[in-house]
Amino acid sequence: MRRFLVPRTSIEKMNVKQPEVEVEETPPNVANQFNPNEIVRDPRCRKQIHEYAPDIQDQVRRAYILKGLTQPDLARFPRTQFGSIQEHFVKHGIRIIHGLNTPPGRAEHFGYEVFNKDGFQDWKHASKGFKDHIGSHDSKHNSCVKHYDDYNNKRQSVTSIFARATRKSEELYKIRLTCSLDCTRYLLAQGIAFRGHDESSTSLNKRNFREMVDWVKSNDEKVRDAFDCGPKNCTMTSGDIQKELATCCAHEVTKVIMEELGDRQFSVLIDESRDISVKEQMAVMLRFLNDKGKVMEQFIALHHVKYTTSEALKDALYGILDRHTLSISKIRGQGYDGASNMRGEFNGLQRKIIDENPYAFYVHCYAHRLQLVVVFVASSCSSIHDFFEYISLIVTTTSASCKRKDALKEAQHQDILNKLESGEISQGKGLHQSSSLARPGDTRWDSHYTTLIRLDQMWSSVLEVLSIVDEDGREPSQAAGGEL
């Protein structure tokens, strides 16, 4: 290779001493590129590999191999005179492709010229040349044969083995993920808790999620093998994975809601309350008309707020709407309860939103209004107030212990049988089901209605239990042994 010096022009302009950089020049008889379509299969006519640049010799070698084996296909081969006999090769001869990486001009690569260019004149010299060319087990020829076989048998290559292993691991991972996702979807749809205090492998009850996964494994051999053969750090059952799967399901549900909403106008419904961990949570719902003209109310977020001021609630609401790419200008209604921070005429949440969007009309929740009116009226009338006080006392007395509840249920059962025998009531599917008294709630007036209906249906049974309680209360000696 000839070397020459190249000056740096940028340094020359700065009048600084020019360092000399050595650059290698490719000999003129070496090709820097090749066209696979120009590859000639005949070893005598083709361009030798050593005539290409070193960085493309491997590509050329692969191109020759892809061309396949070569063999003269002549109707009649030329004859050579050996004494008084003329001999010639036949079509069922020898095909050679190995030795493509054998450089010329070295004695240890015996047979290069004769195999690749000149050929043999007689079989006696050819048979001897074959043996000399093959050589020992570690010869260049056997090495080329091994490389050629490895190239053709791609399934045995390291890349192929890794690819197969990767595909198999991906299939097992997909099975584990699908199993965990199906269990997550079922638990979410049923509103069932996922985790428990002990989810270890030795636990007798690993709670709902892990127990469900184990149940699927016990009934599906394919799933069981996917969990047993997979890595222990990728079982898709950890607490973090459960949270991520639940979050992904929530995102998909929200995505469907947003697609149904589209670019329509909507109203926001907001309420706040404390959860079981004593955190203040703000629930946000959207109310809109779908394509069929049906009013839809969809829950989209439950946001933890540190402060319940109108400004903090406004920032939280705007953050939720921005997250779902919903514009404030699309709001056409606001529905809250009667708390001052929500309905305040000057500084409430509804006023702050109206200041930015005058079309977002505020409507006090009608259910909450009705609740407040009914409670106020009931409290104002002494007879009604006393009536519901007695109702609460009766329910509490008949449900104060398990024994009283069992007695009430037994009395109700016997009362239904007596009425069926007398023909007072008729049989039917779904009729005369076993029930219990419902306690009235302070903030839900409809619970009072349910309590009155149950009490009317079970009045005779309630009277029987109350009479038992009265009798036991008059006999302290029996009560010491276990009163109702």
Side-chain angles (χ1 to χ4, degrees), residues 10 96 116 212 266 273 308 310 321 377-378 428-429 448 472 474:
S10 60
I96 299 177
N116 289 331
M212 181 172 289
F266 60 91
S273 63
T308 57
S310 58
L321 296 180
V377 172
K429 185 177 180 181
H448 293 71
D472 291 339
R474 295 178 181 180

Side-chain angles (χ1 to χ4, degrees), residues 7-258:
R8 293 186 176 179
T9 56
S10 60
I11 299 179
E12 181 181 8
K13 294 179 180 180
M14 300 172 59
N15 296 324
V16 180
K17 184 179 179 180
Q18 303 173 5
E20 297 177 348
V21 180
E22 294 186 354
V23 178
E24 293 188 356
E25 183 183 80
T26 303
N29 61 336
V30 176
N32 290 315
Q33 56 185 358
F34 80 104
N35 184 359
N37 297 326
E38 297 177 357
I39 294 295
V40 180
R41 298 176 65 185
D42 190 349
R44 183 179 181 85
C45 302
R46 73 188 180 199
K47 190 175 183 178
Q48 301 302 313
I49 295 179
H50 69 272
E51 298 179 14
Y52 291 92
D55 56 341
I56 64 171
Q57 286 184 4
D58 188 62
Q59 302 179 31
V60 178
R61 187 177 294 110
R62 293 176 181 272
Y64 277 126
I65 293 176
L66 292 176
K67 286 290 184 179
L69 304 176
T70 181
Q71 181 184 37
D73 188 10
L74 303 177
R76 184 174 181 179
F77 287 82
R79 296 176 177 270
T80 304
Q81 186 73 31
F82 290 94
S84 60
I85 302 175
Q86 287 187 342
E87 296 181 351
H88 66 88
F89 281 100
V90 296
K91 184 175 182 180
H92 302 288
I94 298 177
R95 294 170 291 179
I96 299 177
I97 193 172
H98 306 306
L100 290 176
N101 63 344
T102 306
R106 297 173 63 179
E108 60 267 24
H109 302 293
F110 177 83
Y112 170 79
E113 295 290 340
V114 70
F115 279 109
N116 289 331
K117 297 178 67 175
D118 299 338
F120 292 96
Q121 295 292 329
D122 59 85
W123 183 251
K124 180 179 68 173
H125 291 86
S127 60
K128 182 178 181 301
F130 291 152
K131 296 178 182 180
D132 294 339
H133 177 77
I134 294 174
S136 61
H137 69 279
D138 58 347
S139 65
K140 291 294 183 181
H141 171 83
N142 288 324
S143 178
C144 290
V145 172
K146 183 177 181 302
H147 290 317
Y148 173 75
D149 292 338
D150 291 342
Y151 176 78
N152 280 342
N153 189 10
K154 295 183 178 180
R155 292 179 300 175
Q156 299 299 325
S157 65
V158 176
T159 304
S160 177
I161 293 175
F162 272 116
R164 291 203 307 273
T166 302
R167 286 195 298 271
K168 184 177 179 180
S169 63
E170 288 180 354
E171 293 175 358
L172 296 177
Y173 171 79
K174 185 176 181 180
I175 294 174
R176 296 193 299 272
L177 177 60
T178 302
C179 174
S180 298
L181 182 59
D182 290 341
C183 295
T184 299
R185 294 175 60 187
Y186 176 81
L187 295 176
L188 289 175
Q190 299 301 319
I192 303 176
F194 279 55
R195 307 185 63 187
H197 67 282
D198 186 7
E199 297 183 357
S200 62
S201 58
T202 58
S203 175
L204 297 179
N205 187 350
K206 292 176 280 189
R207 302 306 296 174
N208 297 324
F209 181 83
R210 285 182 174 266
E211 289 292 340
M212 181 172 289
V213 171
D214 291 343
W215 181 84
V216 176
K217 289 163 56 178
S218 64
N219 289 274
D220 193 329
E221 183 178 358
K222 188 177 181 181
V223 176
R224 182 171 61 252
D225 294 341
F227 277 91
D228 294 341
C229 298
K232 299 304 179 182
N233 61 346
C234 188
T235 57
M236 307 303 295
T237 57
S238 67
D240 293 337
I241 293 298
Q242 296 177 36
K243 292 180 181 179
E244 291 183 8
L245 290 176
T247 302
C248 291
C249 292
H251 288 168
E252 289 299 317
V253 173
T254 305
K255 181 180 178 181
V256 173
I257 295 175
M258 292 300 108

